[in-house]
Amino acid sequence: MPVHRSGTARTRRLTAIGSLLAAFSLFLAAPAQSAPDDGIPPRGSAHMGMGVLAHDGQHGTPVPGDATQTEGVDVSSHQGNVAWSSLWSSGVKWAYVKATEGTYYTNPYFAQQYNGSYNVGMIRGAYHFATPDTASGAAQANYFVDHGGGWSRDGKTLPGALDIEWNPYGAACYGKTQSEMVSWIRDFLNTYKARTGRDAVIYTATSWWTQCTGNYGGFATANPLWIARYATTVGTLPAGWSYYTMWQYTSSGPIVGDHNKFNGALDRVVALANG
């Protein structure tokens, strides 16, 4: 004769309902989680020029074919393994590769990009994406030099570049006053020169530089300017610089998006590499 288990079944049902109610109450009490697409990119994903379109816009491109300028590119982990031979064949003769960000990130594609550009004949250098809110200028300069940002007088290595632009992770000026930002940049530049013997290139946009440094002009005598402006001309330069050395003019160029012009023929690129 089968045993009657209705009481046991009822108990199991009540237990299950109680568990569901408890889980639901925990769900209601839990703090709201940030949406995965909250508009803030993950740390380490910043790259040269990522704020230009949003802040300065696109206003055409320069007329091609100027023999007094030399085409270049800049790359980061976003490009992955780069087709350097194709870029070389298209006329690109120099490149900058993201090496580091803050004191917490190194580009996993750095070796392929840095060595690959060199191996096809390009003159190349490394750049550091600055995050002045996470560590001092000196700490970030040392991290950069220790992770690919060094320099040697081999005629193929450009001095390191400091990418200082809009903060993709928060407030545009990284929470610093204009004088604090100038001090941070000076700290980075002085440390980089002490470590390598070279003055670093400064990559920036005039509008950011004006907003976040008060248009400080004190670095122009020593540090080459790499200006970011997506337009037919470079426009107004930051204070102190009467000319630019490099110009990032688009983020939608062929093969690799970020294309640049060196303000001089190839022999001038070699001269900058040699110091």
Side-chain angles (χ1 to χ4, degrees), residues 27-40:
F27 172 78
L28 292 176
Q33 299 297 311
S34 297
D37 185 16
D38 58 4
I40 300 175

Side-chain angles (χ1 to χ4, degrees), residues 84-172:
W84 290 111
S85 59
S86 297
L87 282 164
W88 176 263
S89 297
S90 74
V92 173
K93 302 304 177 187
W94 60 275
Y96 266 91
V97 177
K98 181 181 178 182
T100 50
E101 177 179 318
T103 55
Y104 51 79
Y105 173 86
T106 58
N107 175 8
Y109 292 94
F110 181 77
Q112 191 277 343
Q113 295 174 345
Y114 192 72
N115 297 330
S117 53
Y118 177 93
N119 289 338
V120 299
M122 291 185 192
I123 301 169
R124 53 47 169 142
Y127 80 84
H128 174 79
F129 192 95
T131 56
D133 57 337
T134 65
S136 69
Q140 293 193 35
N142 282 318
Y143 187 79
F144 177 44
V145 174
D146 291 342
H147 295 87
W151 174 79
S152 60
R153 186 177 279 110
D154 58 2
K156 300 294 289 291
T157 305
L158 293 161
L162 172 64
D163 178 0
I164 185 79
E165 57 176 292
W166 298 276
N167 179 10
Y169 311 117

Side-chain angles (χ1 to χ4, degrees), residues 15 22 35-36 42 44 71 77 83 86 100 102 113 133 147 152 170 185 195 211 220 246 251 255-256 261 269:
T15 300
E71 192 76 5
S77 63
S86 297
T100 50
Q113 295 174 345
D133 57 337
H147 295 87
S152 60
I185 294 169
R195 289 288 308 273
Q211 176 186 356
M246 289 167 277
S251 61
I255 305 174
V256 166
K261 292 187 180 297
V269 185

Side-chain angles (χ1 to χ4, degrees), residues 36-56:
D37 185 16
D38 58 4
I40 300 175
R43 284 278 177 179
S45 65
H47 56 89
M48 187 172 277
M50 70 182 300
V52 174
L53 283 174
H55 292 88
D56 285 350

Side-chain angles (χ1 to χ4, degrees), residues 152-225:
S152 60
R153 186 177 279 110
D154 58 2
K156 300 294 289 291
T157 305
L158 293 161
L162 172 64
D163 178 0
I164 185 79
E165 57 176 292
W166 298 276
N167 179 10
Y169 311 117
C173 301
Y174 300 86
K176 294 194 174 295
T177 66
Q178 292 173 341
S179 61
E180 287 171 343
M181 184 63 74
V182 170
S183 295
W184 190 97
I185 294 169
R186 183 182 295 112
D187 195 26
F188 182 100
L189 298 175
N190 288 345
T191 303
Y192 185 83
K193 185 168 185 178
R195 289 288 308 273
T196 67
R198 290 300 306 272
D199 289 300
V201 173
I202 294 176
Y203 168 96
T204 195
T206 300
S207 59
W208 183 91
W209 192 261
T210 301
Q211 176 186 356
C212 296
T213 75
N215 207 18
Y216 179 76
F219 301 127
T221 56
N223 301 96
L225 173 65

Side-chain angles (χ1 to χ4, degrees), residues 14-37:
L14 290 173
T15 300
I17 292 169
S19 298
L20 287 171
L21 289 172
F24 184 67
S25 65
L26 287 174
F27 172 78
L28 292 176
Q33 299 297 311
S34 297
D37 185 16

